[in-house]
Amino acid sequence: MQCKSCNSELPKNAKICPKCGAQVSKPAGNLKVISIFGFVIMLIASMLPFVQSGEEVLDGYVPKAFAFSFMNISVPVMWYLFILLLVVGVLLVVAKKEIFSICASVAAMIVWVISYFGFTYEIVVGKTTGGGLRKEYTTLMDILNNGYDGNAYHIGVGVYVMVIGLIVAIAGVFIDVLKHFKKDLGVDSKYLSNSINQSLGLKLYYYRGFYLMYLPVLIMILIFNYWPMLGCRYAFTRYVIGNPYYIGLYHFQTMLTNDTFFWRAFRNTLILSIVKLILNTGFAVIISLLLNEIVNMPFKKTVQTIVYLPHFMSWVVIFSVFRMILSVNSSGVINGFLINVGLIDSPISFLADTRYWRGTFYVMNLWKDTGWGTVLFLATLSGISPDLYEAAQIDGANRFKRLIYITLPALANTIITVFILNLAKVMNLFESVFVTKSSAVDSVASVLQTYVYDKTFAGGNSDYGYTTAVGLFKSFVGMILVLGCNYASKKVRGRGIV
């Protein structure tokens, strides 16, 4: 370890530099991810009900005084102050000022307690003659003690989640879970104690030019990527244009317990995405191996170009091509061939029959994306030393054995990496399904994103709050997959994908 002031080498447990007398600070620890997780829990709790009605909801009608939380407080600035304190707490943890983050978490809790007991919450009960909203105001304690419109109320789940989040945020400061995953690099600690890498302020100043260049990009990301994410709050509301009102977890309860169409779309999403991923990866490996065996370079490049081209076509063009090829009319090449050879008596509607749609969908995806998937595998194959093949050939290994014992083991790490990276995107299935499905195959073709689209825009009675809840659930599942794949990527290739 080195002294930050004079750069002289220090004894292992020294507290004061023997040369210059400077105090030796402890090296920066690992990021306290548990504490950050606690702040995230508190943020989620702020959108959950603080007080919940005990009445049963019938026929999808949700009373306007069904639940209360930060989202219908009469002084919205309290919610924004609460969120600001949570952001400050997370930034303090990232800046390795974990002890100060406790102050931020406690301050956020104080804001929440003051909001719970000291402010009123609004109930939109209609509109005035001038077109404005007519509201009533009540306190949470009055609601708990006296109810509203003859209905009893109880403490909501948001209160319990908030307390859990506070405990996790504070306890996480003293828990360093990353130390169990930290590997010994075998490097002397004095080479890891550069002050630029220890101090956030010095790092910001040292790279100030780069941060200044990044500032416009950061502003664009905040405006076009993060600002729209605030719309997720509508997942907790009954969205009436001009008058959305908070209903808590009702949409999620309905989605997970009563909506059979949602579960059908969720099942189809997993089936289509996973099978497509396996087929695309497998065929990409096979084509890469075949292309690698071609000796004639002009012919090899020509084949590569032909295989790559479909990737650059839009799904609309690809669907039009396959619709002509698979047409049930006389122009359909496939049906005409099958009828001429006597395999079928009447044309098959590949794109409008539930028995054939999935198979057709997989073939279309293979034709479009397999060629592009070969790029990584061909790059890996080109990096295999020819000496290995020559040595194996001298030892008597034929072409098949060289493939089994040299080529495939060299490809294994790349195959696993590509599979893991693509597995994180299994929930993002929309365009390829949207242009190919129809109402006749909806039972096997409907996926989460097309389900959200149809329920939002195709129906006459759109429920934006419910479809936002479905989209938020999809994003949550996608986040779990990304984090899981990130962990698996670290195990396989030594670094994550995020």
Side-chain angles (χ1 to χ4, degrees), residues 185-476:
L185 300 178
V187 180
D188 194 326
S189 60
K190 67 180 181 181
Y191 297 111
L192 301 176
S193 60
N194 190 324
S195 60
I196 292 179
N197 295 326
Q198 297 287 342
S199 173
L200 179 63
L202 287 177
K203 184 185 295 185
L204 291 174
Y205 180 77
Y206 187 81
Y207 295 109
R208 59 190 181 278
F210 296 104
Y211 285 110
L212 185 62
M213 292 173 60
Y214 175 68
L215 186 60
V217 178
L218 176 62
I219 294 174
M220 295 290 289
I221 291 175
L222 291 176
I223 293 176
F224 294 104
N225 291 85
Y226 286 92
W227 182 261
M229 288 175 62
L230 297 177
C232 69
R233 65 185 184 275
Y234 293 119
F236 303 91
T237 65
R238 182 76 171 181
Y239 192 87
V240 181
I241 296 178
N243 184 21
Y245 58 92
Y246 180 73
I247 59 173
L249 297 172
Y250 174 76
H251 287 320
F252 295 94
Q253 180 182 352
T254 303
M255 175 178 62
L256 298 175
T257 58
N258 299 327
D259 194 346
T260 57
F261 296 102
F262 163 78
W263 286 111
R264 183 185 68 182
F266 184 73
R267 182 179 64 253
N268 290 338
T269 302
L270 294 180
I271 293 175
L272 292 176
S273 297
I274 294 176
V275 173
K276 179 173 74 72
L277 173 60
I278 295 174
L279 290 176
N280 282 359
T281 305
F283 274 81
V285 172
I286 294 173
I287 292 178
S288 299
L289 294 174
L290 294 176
L291 288 173
N292 191 55
E293 295 296 325
I294 298 178
V295 179
N296 190 319
M297 290 305 297
F299 178 70
K300 181 178 181 179
K301 292 181 179 179
T302 302
V303 173
Q304 285 180 325
T305 303
I306 294 174
V307 172
Y308 292 164
L309 280 178
H311 175 77
F312 301 99
M313 298 182 184
S314 70
W315 272 106
V316 176
V317 174
I318 290 177
F319 173 68
S320 301
V321 171
F322 272 84
R323 186 174 60 178
M324 290 188 294
I325 295 175
L326 301 174
S327 174
V328 296
N329 300 324
S330 57
S331 59
V333 177
I334 300 300
N335 277 309
F337 172 77
L338 295 177
I339 292 175
N340 291 333
V341 298
L343 294 178
I344 59 175
D345 298 324
S346 59
I348 297 175
S349 182
F350 290 96
L351 296 171
D353 193 324
T354 55
R355 295 174 297 175
Y356 303 104
W357 184 88
R358 282 183 178 172
T360 306
F361 175 78
Y362 298 142
V363 171
M364 293 169 64
N365 275 273
L366 287 174
W367 186 71
K368 184 179 189 299
D369 294 330
T370 299
W372 181 255
T374 60
V375 174
L376 287 176
F377 299 119
L378 283 174
T380 303
L381 290 172
S382 63
I384 302 176
S385 174
D387 296 339
L388 296 175
Y389 292 105
E390 293 177 3
Q393 191 172 7
I394 292 174
D395 290 338
N398 56 27
R399 186 182 296 271
F400 180 74
K401 288 185 177 180
R402 294 198 296 270
L403 172 67
I404 296 298
Y405 294 107
I406 298 177
T407 307
L408 290 182
L411 275 178
N413 189 51
T414 304
I415 294 173
I416 295 174
T417 301
V418 170
F419 187 83
I420 289 174
L421 294 178
N422 289 329
L423 186 62
K425 301 183 293 185
V426 297
M427 303 302 293
N428 300 329
L429 190 63
F430 176 69
E431 187 180 3
S432 58
V433 176
F434 180 74
V435 299
T436 56
K437 83 179 191 73
S438 62
S439 57
V441 295
D442 199 62
S443 60
V444 296
S446 177
V447 295
L448 283 179
Q449 296 211 58
T450 59
Y451 173 73
V452 170
Y453 178 88
D454 292 338
K455 200 167 183 63
T456 304
F457 301 108
N461 187 20
S462 301
D463 190 347
Y464 299 107
Y466 183 78
T467 53
T468 303
V470 176
L472 188 58
F473 176 81
K474 181 190 74 69
S475 300
F476 176 77

Side-chain angles (χ1 to χ4, degrees), residues 58-279:
L58 301 176
D59 299 329
Y61 170 74
V62 186
K64 295 181 179 180
F66 186 68
F68 298 88
S69 80
F70 264 134
M71 298 187 67
N72 55 354
I73 190 172
S74 59
V75 186
V77 69
M78 298 300 291
W79 188 15
Y80 297 121
L81 178 60
F82 176 83
I83 295 176
L84 177 62
L85 289 171
L86 295 183
V87 173
V88 170
V90 172
L91 293 177
L92 287 172
V93 174
V94 174
K96 305 296 178 66
K97 306 294 183 182
E98 297 90 349
I99 300 299
F100 294 101
S101 71
I102 297 178
C103 299
S105 59
V106 173
M109 193 66 178
I110 293 174
V111 170
W112 175 78
V113 171
I114 293 175
S115 302
Y116 193 94
F117 293 100
F119 288 92
T120 58
Y121 290 73
E122 62 184 26
I123 306 171
V124 179
V125 295
K127 292 187 176 182
T128 63
T129 55
L133 298 178
R134 187 162 57 88
K135 302 178 181 179
E136 294 181 359
Y137 297 92
T138 183
T139 64
L140 298 187
M141 297 308 297
D142 182 58
I143 283 286
L144 288 173
N145 294 328
N146 304 319
Y148 181 82
D149 281 347
N151 297 310
Y153 287 76
H154 57 84
I155 295 177
V157 66
V159 175
Y160 305 106
V161 177
M162 184 70 70
V163 174
I164 293 174
L166 177 66
I167 295 173
V168 173
I170 295 177
V173 170
F174 306 99
I175 301 174
D176 188 5
V177 68
L178 291 182
K179 68 181 181 181
H180 302 291
F181 302 95
K182 188 176 180 181
K183 295 181 179 179
D184 185 8
L185 300 178
V187 180
D188 194 326
S189 60
K190 67 180 181 181
Y191 297 111
L192 301 176
S193 60
N194 190 324
S195 60
I196 292 179
N197 295 326
Q198 297 287 342
S199 173
L200 179 63
L202 287 177
K203 184 185 295 185
L204 291 174
Y205 180 77
Y206 187 81
Y207 295 109
R208 59 190 181 278
F210 296 104
Y211 285 110
L212 185 62
M213 292 173 60
Y214 175 68
L215 186 60
V217 178
L218 176 62
I219 294 174
M220 295 290 289
I221 291 175
L222 291 176
I223 293 176
F224 294 104
N225 291 85
Y226 286 92
W227 182 261
M229 288 175 62
L230 297 177
C232 69
R233 65 185 184 275
Y234 293 119
F236 303 91
T237 65
R238 182 76 171 181
Y239 192 87
V240 181
I241 296 178
N243 184 21
Y245 58 92
Y246 180 73
I247 59 173
L249 297 172
Y250 174 76
H251 287 320
F252 295 94
Q253 180 182 352
T254 303
M255 175 178 62
L256 298 175
T257 58
N258 299 327
D259 194 346
T260 57
F261 296 102
F262 163 78
W263 286 111
R264 183 185 68 182
F266 184 73
R267 182 179 64 253
N268 290 338
T269 302
L270 294 180
I271 293 175
L272 292 176
S273 297
I274 294 176
V275 173
K276 179 173 74 72
L277 173 60
I278 295 174
L279 290 176

